[in-house]
Short mmCIF file of all heavy atoms in Angstrom, two decimals:
data_model
loop_
_atom_site.label_atom_id
_atom_site.label_comp_id
_atom_site.label_asym_id
_atom_site.label_seq_id
_atom_site.Cartn_x
_atom_site.Cartn_y
_atom_site.Cartn_z
N LEU H 206 -39.13 -92.63 17.98
CA LEU H 206 -38.35 -91.51 17.45
C LEU H 206 -37.58 -90.82 18.58
O LEU H 206 -36.39 -90.52 18.46
CB LEU H 206 -39.28 -90.51 16.75
CG LEU H 206 -38.60 -89.30 16.11
CD1 LEU H 206 -39.24 -88.99 14.77
CD2 LEU H 206 -38.66 -88.07 17.00
N GLN H 207 -38.26 -90.64 19.70
CA GLN H 207 -37.62 -90.04 20.87
C GLN H 207 -36.43 -90.88 21.32
O GLN H 207 -35.35 -90.38 21.60
CB GLN H 207 -38.66 -89.97 22.01
CG GLN H 207 -38.39 -88.93 23.06
CD GLN H 207 -38.46 -87.52 22.47
OE1 GLN H 207 -39.41 -87.22 21.75
NE2 GLN H 207 -37.46 -86.69 22.75
N GLN H 208 -36.64 -92.21 21.31
CA GLN H 208 -35.60 -93.14 21.72
C GLN H 208 -34.40 -93.04 20.76
O GLN H 208 -33.24 -93.02 21.20
CB GLN H 208 -36.17 -94.56 21.70
CG GLN H 208 -35.26 -95.62 22.31
CD GLN H 208 -35.01 -95.34 23.80
OE1 GLN H 208 -35.94 -95.01 24.54
NE2 GLN H 208 -33.75 -95.42 24.21
N ALA H 209 -34.67 -92.96 19.46
CA ALA H 209 -33.60 -92.88 18.46
C ALA H 209 -32.77 -91.62 18.69
O ALA H 209 -31.55 -91.62 18.52
CB ALA H 209 -34.18 -92.90 17.05
N MET H 210 -33.44 -90.54 19.12
CA MET H 210 -32.70 -89.30 19.39
C MET H 210 -31.75 -89.50 20.56
O MET H 210 -30.61 -89.05 20.55
CB MET H 210 -33.66 -88.14 19.67
CG MET H 210 -34.27 -87.57 18.41
SD MET H 210 -35.52 -86.32 18.72
CE MET H 210 -34.53 -84.93 19.21
N ALA H 211 -32.25 -90.20 21.57
CA ALA H 211 -31.41 -90.44 22.75
C ALA H 211 -30.26 -91.40 22.45
O ALA H 211 -29.16 -91.26 22.98
CB ALA H 211 -32.28 -91.00 23.88
N ASP H 212 -30.51 -92.36 21.54
CA ASP H 212 -29.52 -93.40 21.23
C ASP H 212 -28.35 -92.91 20.40
O ASP H 212 -27.27 -93.47 20.47
CB ASP H 212 -30.17 -94.53 20.41
CG ASP H 212 -31.05 -95.40 21.28
OD1 ASP H 212 -31.01 -95.21 22.51
OD2 ASP H 212 -31.77 -96.24 20.73
N THR H 213 -28.60 -91.92 19.55
CA THR H 213 -27.56 -91.51 18.61
C THR H 213 -26.54 -90.64 19.32
O THR H 213 -26.88 -89.59 19.85
CB THR H 213 -28.18 -90.72 17.44
OG1 THR H 213 -29.25 -91.49 16.90
CG2 THR H 213 -27.15 -90.46 16.35
N PRO H 214 -25.28 -91.08 19.38
CA PRO H 214 -24.28 -90.27 20.08
C PRO H 214 -24.07 -88.95 19.34
O PRO H 214 -24.03 -88.93 18.12
CB PRO H 214 -23.02 -91.13 20.03
CG PRO H 214 -23.24 -92.09 18.91
CD PRO H 214 -24.71 -92.27 18.76
N PRO H 215 -23.97 -87.83 20.09
CA PRO H 215 -23.88 -86.53 19.46
C PRO H 215 -22.56 -86.31 18.71
O PRO H 215 -22.55 -85.66 17.69
CB PRO H 215 -24.02 -85.54 20.61
CG PRO H 215 -23.71 -86.32 21.84
CD PRO H 215 -24.01 -87.75 21.55
N ALA H 216 -21.46 -86.87 19.23
CA ALA H 216 -20.18 -86.63 18.56
C ALA H 216 -19.91 -87.71 17.53
O ALA H 216 -20.10 -88.88 17.77
CB ALA H 216 -19.07 -86.60 19.58
N ALA H 217 -19.48 -87.29 16.38
CA ALA H 217 -19.23 -88.24 15.31
C ALA H 217 -17.92 -88.97 15.55
O ALA H 217 -16.92 -88.37 15.94
CB ALA H 217 -19.17 -87.51 13.99
N ALA H 218 -17.93 -90.29 15.30
CA ALA H 218 -16.69 -91.03 15.29
C ALA H 218 -16.41 -91.40 13.84
O ALA H 218 -17.24 -92.02 13.20
CB ALA H 218 -16.81 -92.28 16.16
N GLY H 219 -15.30 -91.00 13.34
CA GLY H 219 -15.00 -91.27 11.94
C GLY H 219 -14.72 -92.74 11.70
O GLY H 219 -14.39 -93.49 12.62
N SER H 220 -14.88 -93.16 10.46
CA SER H 220 -14.63 -94.56 10.13
C SER H 220 -14.33 -94.67 8.65
O SER H 220 -14.54 -93.73 7.89
CB SER H 220 -15.85 -95.40 10.48
OG SER H 220 -16.95 -94.97 9.70
N VAL H 221 -13.81 -95.83 8.29
CA VAL H 221 -13.51 -96.07 6.88
C VAL H 221 -14.22 -97.34 6.44
O VAL H 221 -14.19 -98.35 7.15
CB VAL H 221 -11.99 -96.23 6.65
CG1 VAL H 221 -11.69 -96.62 5.21
CG2 VAL H 221 -11.25 -94.96 7.02
N VAL H 222 -14.92 -97.28 5.31
CA VAL H 222 -15.50 -98.48 4.74
C VAL H 222 -14.76 -98.78 3.45
O VAL H 222 -14.68 -97.92 2.56
CB VAL H 222 -17.00 -98.31 4.41
CG1 VAL H 222 -17.62 -99.67 4.14
CG2 VAL H 222 -17.72 -97.60 5.52
N LEU H 223 -14.20 -99.96 3.40
CA LEU H 223 -13.49 -100.40 2.21
C LEU H 223 -14.53 -101.03 1.30
O LEU H 223 -15.10 -102.06 1.64
CB LEU H 223 -12.46 -101.44 2.65
CG LEU H 223 -11.19 -101.60 1.85
CD1 LEU H 223 -10.45 -100.28 1.78
CD2 LEU H 223 -10.30 -102.65 2.52
N VAL H 224 -14.79 -100.43 0.16
CA VAL H 224 -15.89 -100.89 -0.69
C VAL H 224 -15.39 -101.36 -2.05
O VAL H 224 -14.67 -100.63 -2.73
CB VAL H 224 -16.93 -99.76 -0.90
CG1 VAL H 224 -18.06 -100.23 -1.81
CG2 VAL H 224 -17.49 -99.28 0.43
N GLY H 225 -15.77 -102.56 -2.43
CA GLY H 225 -15.49 -103.06 -3.78
C GLY H 225 -16.59 -102.59 -4.71
O GLY H 225 -17.77 -102.80 -4.42
N ALA H 226 -16.21 -101.95 -5.82
CA ALA H 226 -17.20 -101.33 -6.70
C ALA H 226 -17.53 -102.19 -7.91
O ALA H 226 -18.32 -101.79 -8.76
CB ALA H 226 -16.71 -99.96 -7.16
N GLY H 227 -16.93 -103.38 -8.04
CA GLY H 227 -17.16 -104.16 -9.25
C GLY H 227 -16.29 -103.64 -10.39
O GLY H 227 -15.50 -102.72 -10.20
N ALA H 228 -16.46 -104.24 -11.56
CA ALA H 228 -15.51 -103.99 -12.66
C ALA H 228 -15.85 -102.77 -13.50
O ALA H 228 -15.31 -102.60 -14.59
CB ALA H 228 -15.40 -105.22 -13.54
N GLY H 229 -16.74 -101.91 -13.04
CA GLY H 229 -16.98 -100.66 -13.75
C GLY H 229 -18.42 -100.43 -14.15
O GLY H 229 -18.85 -99.30 -14.31
#
Side-chain angles (χ1 to χ4, degrees):
L206 182 139
Q207 203 64 47
Q208 189 62 44
M210 282 175 74
D212 285 352
T213 308
S220 62
V221 175
V222 194
L223 209 57
V224 179

